[in-house]
Amino acid sequence: MANSEDKGFGVGAALPRKEDKRLLRGKGMYVADVDIPGTLDVAFLRSAHAHGRLGGIEIPEGMEDRVYTAADLTRVNPVRVEPSVPGFKPADHHPLATDKVRFAGECIAACLGANRAEAEDLADALIADIEELPALHDPVAAREDPPALLHEEWGDNVYVQLDISGGDIDSVRDAPIVVTRDYRMNRQSIAPLEPRAVLAHWDARAEELVVYLSTQIPHLMRTGLSQMLNLPSHQLRIIAPDVGGGFGGKARLMPEEIVVCAIALDTGKPVRWLEDRREHLMAAPQAREHIYRVTAYADSDGIIQGIDAELTVNAGAYALWHSGPFMETGMAARNLTGPYHIENMRCRTWTVATNKPPLGVYRGVARPGACFAIERTIDAVARAVGRDPLDVRMANMVPAEQMPYEAVGGMKFDNGDYPESVRRAAEMVGYDDIRAQQGGTAVDGRVWGVGLSSYTEQTAHGAAEWTRRGSPIIPGYESATARINPDGTLVLLVGIHSHGQGMETTLAQVAHEELSIHPDAITVKFGDTAISPFGFGTFASRSMVMSGGAVSNACIVLREKLAAIAAHHLQCTTEQVRFADGEAQSDGGSIPIAELARIAHLRQDGLPDGVDPTLDATATYEPDESTGVFSYATHAAVVAVDPHSGAVELVDYAVVEDCGNVVNPMIVDGQIVGGVAQGIGTALYEESVYDTNGQPLSTTFADYLLPGATEIPDIKIGHMVTPATFTRFGLKGMGEGGAIAPPAAIGNALSDAFAAIGAEFNETPYTPRRVLDALERAPKA
Amino acid sequence: MKAPKMTYARADSVAQALALLAEHGDGANVLAGGQSLMPTLNMRLSKPDLLIDINRLEDLAGISVEDDAVRIGALTRHAAVQRSPIVAEHLPLIAEAMPHVAHVAVRNRGTFGGSIALADPAAELPACILALGATITVESVRGRRDIAAADFFKGLFETERQPDELLIEIRIPCQRPGTVHAFMELSRRQGDFAIAGVACAAETDGETVTDAKLVYFASEDRPTLAANAVAAIAGKVWSDESRSAAMAALSEDLDPMDNLQGSAAFKLHLQRVLTGRVLDQAIERARAA
Ligand SMILES: Cc1cc2nc3c(=O)[nH]c(=O)nc-3n(C[C@H](O)[C@H](O)[C@H](O)COP(=O)(O)OP(=O)(O)OC[C@H]3O[C@@H](n4cnc5c(N)ncnc54)[C@H](O)[C@@H]3O)c2cc1C
């Protein structure tokens, strides 16, 4: 299926993206492009301190009407997230600080102006009286030896402590090889091209609050805002127009969004807030910051018998609606044994509160950390037994014959040939040639290394998995309405959102597969709660499988109705009707879908008995098994390192992945490259640095480094195709995977380069300073 | 991140710009390419009363050769310098540094004079003009004066230019036969400000280093000449020994500032690594010549 030729327009075709017609011509429309006369801009007064007691807020005289503080938000409920996880400690999160501030950048007051500059003038003139408290920046210190409590009523700084285990770790303590390592994946931003944005206004005619919102989850946002604002859902309309990237960063309800809506309700005026980059880097959801200690028990061939681990995740100051941060540790722990048949595992986890911005969900969620920890450990075990990491990796992997396989963390791997992905990725970067060259002298004074990293990516999980996680909402299905117009064109209304994933194209391909209507005659609409049926939105690599299934189901309903009408006119049975080239065909003749649509809407006299007019169907879809289908991949990285300057060049990078059948191979490749680019950011560049007072130090793009075109090598991609057995069309999700493996693959490549002196690279990003530090600390330096 | 309220004036002549500067002094900011100034205004790190836009002052742009020196007008865009055959021929050090100055889009707007006037400690061009012994011409209603590059850079973003003075041009001696240049920097990504860097102009026959200018940037508060490192090699035959001597002596020339990229010791280490490499390259070039 992955090959594009002769696939026409349906599932498997590399159809050019329908949405690019507007996006590439600069005709997209984002929240900042929405132009409503009289709109007031909001600028926030944000806390300059990481932790403190908030006293009074001094407002310049005469300006009181233009300033909102917590005291003015009388209609607003605080956010309080309570996942069904035993021991999770909830806390009220007020969208504007009340008695305390808990991170530098937290909103204290909202200032209105005729434009953003005026609003900022006012914010600059406010004075917040803050009595500083000791700041918590390191999560291990915050839980073990806290100088202060963030949410005093908890008695400690731990959202939740959770142990996840399987098998019996104590049974393997006598293993001949015991390897213990500490890993740290530092905190980073999510940094979509378009920062957050919201514009809200009360529509007096419709009696509803219209909220233009840059979000991945319009329907869920309506649910959340309805709760926080005490406004019934029929008076809330969320419009998510073009969204300039989400990556998880726009999948949680944020305080600024609640405040802007509250002010719009209070003033009756259009009010907007457009996040600037500085705000994004200090107050938007952040990601990662995982700290591991992993002990692996192995036999003398490097076959791992057990993993004993501790994981501390810095979840920041508050739990974001809807899920809070609890999933991060649980997902990391359950994925900690990777694609390997490791039968004993114990992972103690702590989700810790500190004076940093709240943890969100970012492409890969938890798994980049878990993959980093296990994949670096695989290589460390290989070194300890004197074998090549490639061999040890393959020897530990779940082989194809053992599928389906339930991993010790409870992941039910469905199918695939994991070791083959390792073999092929290694081949694509010339693994053996590099090994041969490493024996000789390097040509350019740099040291070369090659590293591998494998992972599985649980996707399209339904109710069972979300319930197991204790999620307060269960996004186990998606929905779609398929509506054929009187002229035979098709409109698909879906509950997901598309902001880079190309869903306008791929969902049209699915509909084409079912109905044979040309993609040019299909429109996919989303991002408006007034027009599409309820759906959860786009996250967790779910939209292609879930929304694709829902579109398929809705189209099948229409197809059956079309077949009934066609059979009536072609004088055959419905079973004898086929759909191709936009027509209903039988052995005796054909009739265009456009004609059937005309009959269904405008000429009911042509309908057979018992068939209702119109062609409009809404359907939902959930895969037959709701434990998820697992995509998997192996990444191979080749680095050349200047041992004197610490500069790392990525010389080569290959990905071999299997996401089952593919709807659009071009889009899949694009998703892989984009994900890998972000993973390279995690590995080499991106870090949200804080000083010991909790002050953010990387608040502009001069200090927060994103990889650019010159930092990303051409990514080689190889495909394997093992169709999923329990999803429509045999699809698996794959949107996040690219971002999961690069920190591990590159860390392994660096460690490989300096294997002779035993240098190890166990903290991201691998900056020149960290590279030189690692070389200096190497046991045989 | 929107600029504070201020008055904007577009100068139509140098005289008008000077008059406005005389009147407003410290309260005014000259706007050249805006690539550094606009972000600082938007982040409200500077709040001038008046912005004097000099972008219409064509007289201030251009590159020419006069009396064995290249004259670069203050308003000459980085991109024009990078493309200039005059610069390629007579100022190969600057030609070599230019691709490291930001990215194409920034170079299209950013100006040579803006870079010198700003005196960012991590910028390439101040280091180059110091290594080449350039002269900077500034003018105010009080008159014109020339300032040697060695006297111009006073500290972090601090120069000898007075608040009422406009930077007019930079005159840089053409590279003489018998002199070789070399330029190296380390940066996190292509086009970023450096984390360590050195501009080198050396007199050498490929064996003995007679004299050299080694100017370091990105580690000190201003571009810094390394007299001790040069003293360690001057008059000596280039060898592993003199390379080590230069690298060792560097600690007497530099006192690096730490920053997000690393500690003072890390910066000194990087500058040492570059010292050996930049001199190796200079020697190699002299031999090839
Ligand atoms: C993303 C990015 C990356 C960059 N990377 C680099 C880099 O790697 N290396 C590097 O060197 N630079 C870099 N820069 C800065 C760039 O080179 C600037 O253009 C330059 O430093 C300033 O030139 P400008 O013409 O833009 O000056 P402006 O921003 O207009 O002005 C800068 C300062 O100089 C003053 N000024 C300007 N012209 C005059 C004059 N004629 N007389 C008196 N005062 C004057 C202004 O008042 C202001 O204080 C980067 C900039 C960006 C945005």
Side-chain angles (χ1 to χ4, degrees):
Chain A
M1 276 265 187
N3 256 323
S4 57
E5 266 58 71
D6 59 34
K7 290 289 177 194
F9 304 113
V11 171
L15 202 64
R17 299 188 347 149
K18 286 163 66 75
E19 46 270 74
D20 283 343
K21 189 169 156 196
R22 72 172 186 283
L23 296 175
L24 297 185
R25 290 173 200 197
K27 303 286 187 200
M29 198 197 63
Y30 301 85
V31 172
D33 297 319
V34 176
D35 188 9
I36 299 180
T39 298
L40 298 173
D41 271 288
V42 170
F44 286 96
L45 169 67
R46 294 178 180 277
S47 176
H49 300 290
H51 197 189
R53 286 195 198 292
L54 178 59
I57 300 165
E58 243 178 76
I59 301 170
E61 236 181 83
M63 296 294 168
E64 293 80 1
D65 287 354
R66 287 173 50 200
V67 177
Y68 282 79
T69 67
D72 303 309
L73 299 183
T74 45
R75 285 184 54 164
V76 173
N77 295 325
V79 175
R80 193 176 172 89
V81 177
E82 304 194 51
S84 348
V85 175
F88 185 90
K89 303 188 195 89
D92 284 350
H93 180 195
H94 296 271
L96 294 174
T98 52
D99 54 332
K100 267 184 95 174
V101 287
R102 294 186 177 86
F103 68 94
E106 179 169 356
C107 294
I108 295 175
C111 302
L112 297 174
N115 54 54
R116 174 69 185 239
E118 279 185 12
E120 283 185 25
D121 289 346
L122 182 50
D124 280 353
L126 299 190
I127 300 168
D129 170 24
I130 295 172
E131 178 202 331
E132 264 193 271
L133 295 168
L136 309 163
H137 66 100
D138 180 71
V140 177
R143 77 171 159 85
E144 283 181 347
D145 183 20
L149 292 178
L150 213 62
H151 302 281
E152 276 94 358
E153 66 275 21
W154 292 1
D156 61 15
N157 290 312
V158 180
Y159 285 99
V160 64
Q161 199 280 316
L162 213 66
D163 288 346
I164 290 181
S165 56
D168 176 13
I169 191 67
D170 289 325
S171 69
V172 299
R173 302 268 187 215
D174 299 337
I177 301 292
V178 181
V179 170
T180 298
R181 291 290 184 277
D182 290 304
Y183 304 109
R184 189 177 192 109
M185 177 169 279
N186 280 304
R187 186 171 261 254
Q188 64 175 99
S189 263
I190 298 174
L193 197 53
E194 181 208 24
R196 294 179 288 153
V198 53
L199 186 165
H201 73 99
W202 180 257
D203 181 333
R205 186 189 61 81
E207 273 197 60
E208 65 185 10
L209 186 72
V210 180
V211 185
Y212 290 90
L213 189 61
S214 186
T215 182
Q216 301 169 227
I217 52 168
H219 287 277
L220 279 183
M221 284 298 191
R222 184 176 63 167
T223 302
L225 281 169
S226 168
Q227 284 173 22
M228 305 315 157
L229 298 168
N230 283 312
L231 190 69
S233 286
H234 74 289
Q235 293 189 319
L236 252 176
R237 175 178 178 191
I238 312 295
I239 300 174
D242 282 321
V243 169
F247 311 113
K250 294 171 181 170
R252 292 293 181 271
L253 182 59
M254 296 300 288
E256 294 91 342
E257 297 158 350
I258 301 169
V259 172
V260 164
C261 290
I263 297 175
L265 285 172
D266 193 58
T267 59
K269 293 184 179 147
V271 179
R272 72 172 182 178
W273 169 71
L274 304 176
E275 182 182 52
D276 66 33
R277 192 56 69 182
R278 191 161 169 273
E279 291 179 291
H280 182 80
L281 293 173
M282 57 194 282
Q286 295 184 343
R288 317 296 188 227
E289 200 162 4
H290 287 203
I291 296 156
Y292 294 85
R293 166 158 292 182
V294 175
T295 298
Y297 298 92
D299 70 14
S300 50
D301 289 329
I303 303 301
I304 298 177
Q305 293 155 350
I307 294 282
D308 196 2
E310 290 186 352
L311 164 60
T312 304
V313 168
N314 185 347
Y318 297 104
L320 298 178
W321 192 90
H322 50 90
S323 69
F326 74 94
M327 279 196 304
E328 192 83 8
T329 48
M331 276 176 75
R334 290 172 57 209
N335 280 287
L336 194 54
T337 54
Y340 304 107
H341 49 67
I342 297 171
E343 283 172 3
N344 305 289
M345 189 263 285
R346 184 182 73 162
C347 186
R348 308 203 64 202
T349 75
W350 293 264
T351 303
V352 178
T354 66
N355 296 108
K356 290 187 184 177
L359 192 76
V361 285
Y362 175 42
R363 201 173 197 168
V365 191
R367 288 157 298 187
C371 174
F372 176 55
I374 186 64
E375 292 299 305
R376 285 288 305 115
T377 301
I378 290 279
D379 276 36
V381 167
R383 305 284 175 204
V385 299
R387 293 182 70 192
D388 194 300
L390 177 133
D391 300 328
V392 170
R393 180 167 276 101
M394 288 175 68
N396 275 291
M397 254 173 189
V398 178
E401 315 80 82
Q402 269 188 41
M403 294 292 178
Y405 177 89
E406 181 162 349
V408 65
M411 296 299 188
K412 287 189 183 152
F413 300 153
D414 48 345
N415 57 19
D417 188 343
Y418 297 178
E420 176 65 8
S421 73
V422 181
R423 199 192 58 71
R424 284 187 51 188
E427 191 177 275
M428 282 172 80
V429 296
Y431 197 88
D432 295 339
D433 296 344
I434 292 166
R435 282 273 173 269
Q437 184 210 316
Q438 281 173 325
T441 42
V443 245
D444 55 1
R446 296 186 299 175
V447 185
W448 289 54
V450 59
L452 299 163
S453 166
S454 307
Y455 65 88
T456 65
E457 182 189 4
Q458 182 188 31
T459 70
H461 22 290
E465 172 63 17
W466 292 101
T467 311
R468 171 176 189 154
R469 292 183 192 180
S471 177
I473 58 143
I474 308 289
Y477 66 91
E478 261 311 322
S479 58
T481 296
R483 181 179 295 157
I484 293 181
N485 293 316
D487 65 355
T489 58
L490 173 68
V491 180
L492 300 172
L493 309 171
V494 289
I496 52 96
H497 195 279
S498 182
H499 33 272
Q501 297 86 350
M503 304 302 298
E504 291 174 49
T505 307
T506 48
L507 292 179
Q509 288 179 255
V510 166
H512 173 85
E513 188 75 28
E514 303 295 6
L515 293 168
S516 87
I517 295 174
H518 193 285
D520 288 350
I522 303 174
T523 298
V524 180
K525 285 185 188 280
F526 50 78
D528 186 342
T529 54
I531 65 167
S532 73
F534 180 87
F536 289 96
T538 290
F539 53 91
S541 301
R542 63 193 296 278
S543 291
M544 190 65 252
V545 176
M546 295 286 194
S547 190
V551 164
S552 165
N553 277 348
C555 287
I556 288 170
V557 174
L558 294 188
R559 190 175 68 202
E560 282 164 4
K561 194 160 174 182
L562 287 167
I565 306 168
H568 180 61
H569 289 273
L570 295 171
Q571 300 191 345
C572 62
T573 66
T574 53
E575 290 74 31
Q576 289 169 326
V577 178
R578 316 174 288 277
F579 289 85
D581 303 325
E583 295 178 338
Q585 301 170 346
S586 74
D587 292 340
S590 68
I591 180 166
I593 290 176
E595 176 58 17
L596 298 173
R598 194 182 72 86
I599 292 167
H601 290 87
L602 308 175
R603 293 301 303 253
Q604 300 103 73
D605 54 341
L607 289 175
D609 288 348
V611 173
D612 298 336
T614 77
L615 292 162
D616 195 320
T618 296
T620 61
Y621 173 79
E622 177 172 9
D624 301 340
E625 289 266 359
S626 62
T627 50
V629 284
F630 288 76
S631 291
Y632 62 93
T634 296
H635 291 202
V638 180
V639 296
V641 189
D642 179 338
H644 303 291
S645 71
V648 176
E649 188 195 343
L650 258 184
V651 181
D652 201 1
Y653 203 98
V655 176
V656 173
E657 65 81 56
D658 184 348
C659 62
N661 284 334
V662 167
V663 176
N664 185 320
M666 179 193 72
I667 288 177
V668 163
D669 285 2
Q671 289 290 309
I672 292 170
V673 172
V676 169
Q678 287 180 306
I680 290 172
T682 305
L684 292 169
Y685 300 103
E686 297 181 50
E687 182 175 4
S688 302
V689 183
Y690 285 79
D691 73 10
T692 50
N693 295 317
Q695 285 296 324
L697 301 181
S698 19
T699 58
T700 74
F701 275 165
D703 295 314
Y704 186 85
L705 307 187
L706 289 167
T710 43
E711 282 69 50
I712 306 296
D714 282 336
I715 312 292
K716 298 173 179 165
I717 300 173
H719 291 286
M720 295 167 58
V721 180
T722 315
T725 50
F726 47 78
T727 62
R728 186 68 44 86
F729 307 118
L731 310 178
K732 300 181 178 187
M734 54 73 56
E736 299 169 87
I740 294 175
I746 295 168
N748 281 340
L750 287 166
S751 305
D752 181 63
F754 298 100
I757 58 168
E760 293 202 4
F761 296 80
N762 296 334
E763 178 174 359
T764 65
Y766 317 111
T767 61
R769 171 175 64 82
R770 290 205 179 98
V771 169
L772 293 187
D773 282 352
L775 297 185
E776 212 174 279
R777 280 198 320 266
K780 291 177 250 168
Chain B
M1 277 200 288
K2 298 289 177 219
K5 277 207 179 85
M6 62 197 148
T7 308
Y8 168 88
R10 190 170 60 214
D12 291 320
S13 66
V14 170
Q16 188 196 356
L18 296 183
L20 286 168
L21 276 171
E23 190 184 331
H24 295 270
D26 255 344
N29 264 183
V30 171
L31 174 68
Q35 298 303 297
S36 300
L37 184 55
M38 291 312 296
T40 45
L41 290 176
N42 283 342
M43 288 191 278
R44 302 194 170 197
L45 298 173
S46 70
K47 298 184 178 182
D49 302 322
L50 175 70
L51 208 55
I52 306 171
D53 183 347
I54 62 167
N55 281 280
R56 294 273 172 102
L57 304 184
E58 295 293 328
D59 299 352
L60 290 186
I63 302 170
S64 58
V65 191
E66 278 163 32
D67 307 331
D68 286 338
V70 177
R71 180 201 151 274
I72 301 180
L75 197 63
T76 312
R77 309 286 166 186
H78 293 319
V81 176
Q82 191 177 5
R83 281 194 304 263
S84 162
I86 295 178
V87 171
E89 184 183 345
H90 298 294
L91 303 174
L93 176 65
I94 289 188
E96 192 162 303
M98 221 58 228
H100 297 277
V101 179
H103 319 267
V104 176
V106 175
R107 292 198 293 265
N108 282 339
R109 284 303 290 174
T111 65
F112 200 89
S115 223
I116 304 304
L118 181 64
D120 188 305
E124 292 82 3
L125 298 176
C128 290
I129 70 159
L130 180 55
L132 296 174
T135 305
I136 294 130
T137 303
V138 297
E139 187 173 349
S140 70
V141 292
R142 297 176 285 121
R144 256 187 194 233
R145 61 184 183 122
D146 287 343
I147 308 166
D151 300 326
F152 189 76
F153 302 105
K154 309 283 273 188
L156 206 60
F157 300 102
E158 231 182 87
T159 68
E160 178 58 26
R161 183 184 71 86
Q162 297 306 302
D164 65 341
E165 288 176 321
L166 187 67
L167 207 154
I168 302 293
E169 65 182 34
I170 296 97
R171 280 197 317 283
I172 310 165
C174 297
Q175 184 165 318
R176 289 190 316 274
T179 310
V180 288
H181 73 281
F183 179 91
M184 284 180 186
E185 73 169 52
L186 299 166
S187 65
R188 291 290 306 280
R189 300 169 304 185
Q190 173 67 40
D192 275 348
F193 276 109
I195 57 177
V198 58
C200 163
E203 282 170 40
T204 172
D205 56 4
E207 299 298 330
T208 306
V209 180
T210 318
D211 195 8
K213 290 275 180 358
L214 287 176
V215 179
Y216 293 83
F217 58 101
S219 60
E220 313 304 302
D221 66 353
R222 72 196 89 169
T224 302
L225 263 167
N228 292 296
V230 171
I233 53 170
K236 298 197 178 117
V237 172
W238 182 242
S239 63
D240 284 350
E241 216 171 288
S242 58
R243 184 193 298 103
S244 303
M247 288 166 70
L250 203 59
S251 57
E252 291 157 48
D253 294 311
L254 302 183
D255 183 12
M257 309 178 293
D258 56 4
N259 67 6
L260 262 190
Q261 302 303 336
S263 64
F266 168 74
K267 294 255 177 153
L268 183 62
H269 166 82
L270 294 183
Q271 297 290 35
R272 282 196 164 124
V273 169
L274 290 182
T275 303
R277 289 179 182 176
V278 87
L279 287 167
D280 278 343
Q281 188 179 71
I283 297 290
E284 224 170 85
R285 284 179 174 171
R287 285 180 187 161

